Amino acid sequence: MSVPSPVPKLPVSLAANPKLSSWVRFSGEGGVAISPGKVEIGQGIVTALAQIAADELDVGIGRIELIRASTAASPNEGVTSGSLSVQQSGRALRHVCAEVRERFLAAASERLGVDAALLDVDDGTISGPGNVRTSYWELAGDVSLDHDATAGVVAKPAATRGVAGHSVQRVDIPDKVFARPRFIHDCALPDLAHGRVLRPDIAGARLIALDETAARAVPGLVAIVRDGGFAGVLADSEAAAEAALKALRKGATWSAGEPLPDEDDLAGFLKSQPVETTVIDARAAATTKRAARTLRRQYTRPYIAHASIAPSCAMARWDGDRIHVWTHSQGVYLLRADLAIVLELPAENIVVEHMEGAGCYGHNAADDVALDAVLLAKAASGRPVRVQWSRHDEMSHAPFGAAMAIEIEADLDADSEIVGWRHAIWSNGHAARPGRAAQPALLAATEIANPYPRMISTNPPAANGGGGDRNSVPLYDLPAWTITSHRLLTMPVRTSALRTLGGQGNVFAIESILDEIAVLRGEDPIAFRLRHLRDERASDVIRAAARRAQWKPQKQSGIGHGVGFARYKNTGAYCAAIAEIEGTDDIRVRRLTLAVDVGETINPDGVINQIEGGAIQATSWVLKERVRFDRTHITSTSWTDYPILTFSEVPAVDVEIIQRPEFEPVGAGEAAHGPVTAAIANAVFDCLGVRVRDLPITRDRIIAAMELAS
């Protein structure tokens, strides 16, 4: 009996935005405008999408113009997050461009009187037997793209693609290298006013009285804006705005705040709070084996700041009851939805347009500062208003990546083989982005006269990769397990999406205890992992990293080596990392060797960039980063108090890509963080003989671990 063929489906982003004309249009000057709903945040997506479009349309990549996402015209692809841009936008665009090519070939066939199968396309010129020719641009007036995409369109085979799969120059880099204005921070609209917002240093405090006298005397002041607990200033220059804000702060009276947790006992705090408990996954053993012992280990990570190099910035302009917002938000449609709630306006009255910001992966203050700009712009009489947060604002009031406490219990038999596994997570939710609830998730919405409550962060569903539970289900073939997530229902420290969500913490915990078990058995850590893997793609990245790093060199005093592995979300990119560290006065990561499998590689150099960047960021998280606070306020409000990895501390990073053109492409941006974190931690043990299970791995933490072990 024959099995029916599956019904063709459109890629997810295209199913949500099926109109071909919303993705592609041809200009009369020989250009091709591509309009994705995903945004450039430094990950190089505009280059990868240009490559995909150039291949499917058979045009030179130099003809491609990527249009910035805007709610006025772009497809609604939700939010740019989760390493999904190539996976979602890329697949949609590949399908769209393949169908557009078909439609133009059909039109050319009719015009030229030649069978479409005999026509070729070269850089947009369509030609056939007898030297007949036309082009996309000649036919553009005759071919309507105001049609929904058709399921079942077949894109080019990978082997016939001439641009995808090759490293091409990033289209966004020249502006950044030559300091041409590209970031929103550098944009200056005509007649621009500057705004600043007054916020408390004490956590949870609310503005209860405000003496405006001194601020009103500042030259260049345009207006003082107050709406309940929200207050700010407008001025003709940034200097005047800063001076007015300083004067206004002296006249502010605040309510008492809310206590913050004990920073030195985050695990105790996380485990003492009311929680929502969910069993993420459970597997029963086929045969019950007796456990000779149980290894119980706890791992923690602190709150982590996004620490964007440039603090958040936005511009807004009112025109009657309509508002235009310029923002580096990762989700322009989601931000528009929250603005509509706060402003009590129809969403169609609001245009949110993306402009690049100087560095962030995750939910920093980009959306918050957009509402700040909108509220201040109400008092600007139609002038555009630019609001720039300070470093202190960014490090105090932007959402943080959630702290985590992870307990793993591994039941071992007499040979220290794993017979049971229990993994429990305590953490705030990892997502409180705008546009996903009936109430807004924006900071100023909690401050206005009719305030909304602070949104308690939730976790994305497991089908979308999960949140605190991301990567908590082992990819290894273990006989039995139970994975449990305890999401906190309180949130004294504001949390939302930070790169990898819970993936970094869970991979750190899993790979650390696996390493410990391998040591107990006297087994090589790589051999131990390979013995527990059934996925050959997983095994291949571990073998490739080991081979490239020449695992394992002869033991040297003061030098350690460690390995870490994960498949991001258990459905995305495979990545293995080997760290070489030096343990002297402080831990120094000398070299990171990584192997990655992202399926089809659209731009190899872009993938390497992403893996290198993720590896370096993870190194900074592991060795340095920790939000500091006392019981009343955040204290890590500068680079001095919140140090990040410096250029002199950056390790050498060597990346090998395993090419898999037969598999659909997946994102690389978040694949390296968990494996690198675990590899460094395991290298510390190899070097010093102590396990540090609390991040960051500092000198104090190492000394404490040594004292505990003695």
Side-chain angles (χ1 to χ4, degrees):
M1 182 176 177
S2 61
V3 178
S5 300
V7 178
K9 293 183 179 180
L10 292 173
V12 61
S13 281
L14 189 53
N17 307 275
K19 196 73 70 180
L20 297 174
S21 57
S22 67
W23 295 85
V24 177
R25 60 180 173 81
F26 294 91
S27 67
E29 295 77 32
V32 185
I34 300 297
S35 181
K38 299 292 187 182
V39 302
E40 180 63 54
I41 49 177
Q43 80 280 42
I45 186 60
V46 294
T47 306
L49 295 181
Q51 289 180 263
I52 289 170
D55 259 330
E56 295 304 327
L57 292 171
D58 282 315
V59 299
I61 195 170
R63 293 188 183 273
I64 304 288
E65 179 190 7
L66 268 293
I67 306 300
R68 295 198 309 261
S70 166
T71 58
S74 303
N76 183 354
E77 291 197 82
V79 64
T80 303
S81 65
S83 296
L84 292 172
S85 295
V86 167
Q87 205 164 325
Q88 293 180 349
S89 204
R91 289 178 188 178
L93 194 57
R94 177 166 280 163
H95 186 110
V96 167
C97 291
E99 182 164 349
V100 166
R101 185 178 186 275
E102 282 186 5
R103 286 180 175 272
F104 273 84
L105 283 174
S109 172
E110 186 173 338
R111 173 177 287 195
L112 301 174
V114 175
D115 189 324
L118 300 176
L119 295 174
D120 291 318
V121 185
D122 180 16
D123 197 21
T125 296
I126 304 170
S127 60
N131 204 29
V132 295
R133 64 184 57 236
T134 183
S135 71
Y136 288 137
W137 300 277
E138 288 179 10
L139 294 169
D142 300 332
V143 180
S144 172
L145 297 181
D146 288 328
H147 296 278
D148 286 353
T150 307
V153 168
V154 178
K156 288 182 178 182
T160 66
R161 295 172 190 149
V163 186
H166 300 278
S167 296
V168 302
Q169 184 182 33
R170 285 259 301 263
V171 300
D172 59 315
I173 292 297
D175 285 350
K176 296 168 183 176
V177 170
F178 294 109
R180 292 191 286 261
R182 188 179 183 98
F183 296 130
I184 189 171
H185 308 75
D186 302 318
C187 183
L189 298 175
D191 198 27
L192 190 67
H194 297 271
R196 294 292 187 271
V197 175
L198 178 68
R199 291 204 160 92
D201 287 334
I202 303 299
R206 186 169 178 83
L207 184 65
I208 56 177
L210 190 62
D211 182 349
E212 303 175 2
T213 306
R216 291 198 178 279
V218 173
L221 179 75
V222 173
I224 294 174
V225 177
R226 185 167 180 197
D227 181 354
F230 175 86
V233 297
L234 277 178
D236 288 325
S237 68
E238 286 197 83
E242 291 286 355
L245 181 66
K246 184 177 180 180
L248 198 65
R249 186 173 298 281
K250 293 177 181 177
T253 303
W254 305 93
S255 69
E258 301 169 0
L260 295 177
D262 179 355
E263 188 202 334
D264 294 319
D265 186 22
L266 281 181
F269 161 72
L270 294 170
K271 292 181 177 182
S272 69
Q273 300 302 296
V275 296
E276 173 190 72
T277 297
T278 306
V279 176
I280 302 301
D281 198 49
R283 170 192 280 188
T287 59
T288 304
K289 293 184 178 180
R290 182 180 296 276
R293 62 180 294 197
T294 297
L295 212 59
R296 295 180 179 88
R297 297 292 183 260
Q298 175 178 280
Y299 303 87
T300 67
R301 83 161 198 174
Y303 294 101
I304 304 175
H306 288 87
S308 307
I309 293 299
S312 296
C313 180
M315 294 182 293
R317 179 173 59 207
W318 284 85
D319 181 7
D321 63 350
R322 295 182 176 273
I323 181 77
H324 195 126
V325 180
W326 294 264
T327 173
H328 54 106
S329 168
Q330 291 175 218
V332 291
Y333 280 94
L334 299 180
L335 173 57
R336 183 181 72 164
D338 268 18
L339 292 176
I341 295 172
V342 177
L343 301 173
E344 298 180 345
L345 284 176
E348 55 267 26
N349 284 27
I350 305 169
V351 172
V352 180
E353 180 179 343
H354 183 265
M355 293 187 73
E356 287 184 54
C360 176
Y361 294 97
H363 180 196
N364 70 345
D367 300 287
D368 295 322
V369 74
L371 178 55
D372 289 350
V374 167
L375 294 176
L376 293 180
K378 275 187 173 182
S381 303
R383 291 176 66 180
V385 170
R386 177 184 182 274
V387 178
Q388 168 79 61
W389 275 25
S390 67
R391 173 64 50 200
H392 186 280
D393 292 335
E394 191 81 21
M395 302 298 253
S396 301
H397 300 296
F400 298 124
M404 301 177 70
I406 300 161
E407 282 190 358
I408 296 181
E409 295 181 343
D411 297 329
L412 308 178
D413 66 14
D415 296 321
S416 292
E417 292 281 13
I418 301 167
V419 297
W421 182 275
R422 289 168 298 284
H423 183 129
I425 307 141
W426 287 265
S427 177
N428 279 114
H430 287 248
R433 287 187 184 272
R436 293 177 171 174
Q439 70 177 61
L442 306 172
L443 180 58
T446 68
E447 300 169 330
I448 55 179
N450 296 308
Y452 292 87
R454 176 187 282 185
M455 181 182 290
I456 301 297
S457 292
T458 58
N459 284 320
N464 293 346
D469 55 302
R470 182 167 292 182
N471 277 107
S472 59
V473 178
L475 203 65
Y476 298 97
D477 187 21
L478 307 181
W481 62 53
T482 302
I483 316 297
T484 308
S485 173
H486 305 284
R487 180 180 70 89
L488 272 65
L489 301 177
T490 58
M491 200 173 68
V493 177
R494 187 181 180 211
T495 67
S496 190
L498 176 74
R499 209 173 186 190
T500 81
L501 280 61
Q504 185 230 9
N506 286 312
V507 174
F508 164 54
I510 292 169
E511 292 291 295
S512 292
I513 197 168
L514 284 178
D515 218 67
E516 193 166 344
I517 295 168
V519 171
L520 278 176
R521 288 181 44 77
E523 187 173 359
D524 178 82
I526 286 180
F528 180 77
R529 285 167 172 77
L530 293 174
R531 191 163 57 81
H532 287 86
L533 284 169
R534 299 291 175 266
D535 185 333
E536 278 304 310
R537 292 174 72 184
S539 298
D540 284 350
V541 293
I542 294 175
R543 291 191 187 101
R547 181 178 61 253
R548 198 173 184 95
Q550 299 181 328
W551 179 270
K552 183 177 182 185
Q554 187 174 353
K555 182 71 176 174
Q556 294 176 262
S557 177
I559 304 295
H561 297 84
V563 61
F565 159 78
R567 183 182 188 188
Y568 186 53
K569 300 184 193 174
N570 285 10
T571 58
Y574 297 82
C575 183
I578 291 175
E580 178 182 305
I581 68 108
E582 182 177 1
T584 52
D585 292 340
D586 289 299
I587 298 300
R588 181 179 181 87
V589 179
R590 303 201 322 180
R591 187 174 192 83
L592 294 169
T593 305
L594 300 102
V596 62
D597 171 356
V598 297
E600 181 194 359
T601 305
I602 304 299
N603 186 335
D605 187 56
V607 170
I608 290 170
N609 291 165
Q610 284 294 281
I611 296 299
E612 288 174 339
I616 292 167
Q617 184 177 45
T619 303
S620 186
W621 287 358
V622 172
L623 299 184
K624 290 178 174 286
E625 296 190 38
R626 175 189 184 190
V627 174
R628 309 307 302 268
F629 47 90
D630 57 26
R631 301 311 290 268
T632 62
H633 66 294
I634 305 296
T635 59
S636 51
T637 58
S638 70
W639 293 126
T640 301
D641 306 314
Y642 190 91
I644 61 174
L645 207 67
T646 62
F647 278 108
S648 65
E649 297 168 314
V650 170
V653 183
D654 184 25
V655 180
E656 178 173 324
I657 299 173
I658 298 179
Q659 300 278 4
R660 302 281 192 187
E662 68 274 22
F663 292 104
E664 289 279 6
V666 295
E670 297 166 285
H673 291 69
V676 166
T677 299
I680 294 171
N682 290 331
V684 169
F685 172 79
D686 184 57
C687 178
L688 302 177
V690 294
R691 295 275 175 193
V692 181
R693 302 185 180 95
D694 300 298
L695 298 175
I697 301 176
T698 61
R699 183 188 308 181
D700 289 345
R701 292 268 168 84
I702 292 170
I703 292 170
M706 287 177 169
E707 290 173 347
L708 193 65
S710 61

